[in-house]
Amino acid sequence: MRNYVAYFVMLAPVFAYNIYCFATNEPNSGIDFGKIIISFFLGIISYNLGMKIKNKGKVE
């Protein structure tokens, strides 16, 4: 069960942010590289948090 929570924590923030950005994007506005960088860093943070949840209690 902990693995499913960890995978959800890894993937859900990035998907939610990208869906929000695509939903609020103006037509024909092009690529916003600021949103790409924010999504990248959000992915890094959520991946690290998910791995900590997944590996909680294991000896490193």
Side-chain angles (χ1 to χ4, degrees):
M1 182 68 181
R2 187 183 307 161
N3 288 340
Y4 295 124
V5 173
Y7 291 134
F8 182 76
V9 168
M10 285 185 213
L11 297 176
V14 177
F15 285 149
Y17 180 74
N18 286 328
I19 290 170
Y20 169 76
C21 288
F22 288 130
T24 59
N25 198 10
E26 295 180 12
N28 299 324
S29 63
I31 298 172
D32 186 5
F33 290 106
K35 290 181 182 179
I36 293 173
I37 291 173
I38 290 171
S39 180
F40 178 74
F41 284 122
L42 185 64
I44 291 172
I45 292 168
S46 63
Y47 175 79
N48 285 334
L49 186 63
M51 289 305 289
K52 285 184 180 182
I53 292 171
K54 184 179 173 188
N55 295 330
K56 187 176 180 182
K58 293 183 180 178
V59 177
E60 293 183 3

